[in-house]
Amino acid sequence: GLGDGWNVAMVGCEAVVLVAVAAGAAVVWVLHVMHASVGVDKPTAAQLQEEKHENHALFRHFPSLKHRLAWRELGTFPTPVHRASCSAISFHNSSGAPASTVNFWVKREDLSSAAYGGNKVRTLQHQLAVIEAK
């Protein structure tokens, strides 16, 4: 168990946990590689005028960054979030009763582009804009 009365023994969900941890590590690695490869730059006047910055969550939450980070919209966003579940041997829900399934949400980044999906599109939005700005 995990202590404090939590008893989690999941079948089929181990992969979900591993993917979540790997995804977090991948994001950190991609940001590091992106910064090391092309760096960051301010957007050009054309980028500021042509792009719809409200389509990017980062700029919606931190509007001042749109004047500090070059960006081009390349994919189809936002991508949907789907609910999914997997079976579990023993998992206690919020009421303390044993649950037979674990529910979770999946962000469908694979739908960001018909030609190539995934986080590649989001990474290229910044990298190509930086190259253009330089």
Side-chain angles (χ1 to χ4, degrees):
L2 297 175
D4 295 328
W6 287 93
N7 182 10
V8 181
M10 295 180 273
V11 174
C13 290
E14 292 87 358
V16 172
V17 172
L18 290 175
V19 168
V21 171
V27 167
V28 171
W29 178 80
V30 166
L31 290 173
H32 173 74
V33 170
M34 185 175 104
H35 187 273
S37 66
V38 297
V40 294
D41 208 345
K42 292 181 179 180
T44 64
Q47 289 171 340
L48 284 171
Q49 182 180 5
E50 296 166 4
E51 296 304 328
K52 296 178 183 174
H53 288 84
E54 63 275 4
N55 289 349
H56 193 306
L58 181 66
F59 299 129
R60 280 196 312 272
H61 294 287
F62 302 100
S64 64
L65 288 180
K66 77 177 186 179
H67 298 285
R68 299 179 65 195
L69 296 174
W71 173 75
R72 285 289 192 183
E73 187 170 29
L74 300 177
T76 305
F77 298 103
T79 56
V81 177
H82 292 202
R83 186 176 182 168
S85 63
C86 63
S87 62
I89 293 174
S90 175
F91 182 80
H92 295 276
N93 61 24
S94 60
S95 66
S100 59
T101 60
V102 175
N103 296 309
F104 55 95
W105 298 91
V106 177
K107 179 79 168 140
R108 294 295 309 272
E109 291 294 277
D110 58 311
L111 301 176
S112 63
S113 170
Y116 45 85
N119 64 352
K120 296 177 291 294
V121 178
R122 290 197 190 267
T123 302
L124 286 172
Q125 290 182 127
H126 293 282
Q127 288 183 326
L128 295 177
V130 167
I131 292 167
E132 176 187 353
K134 289 184 177 192

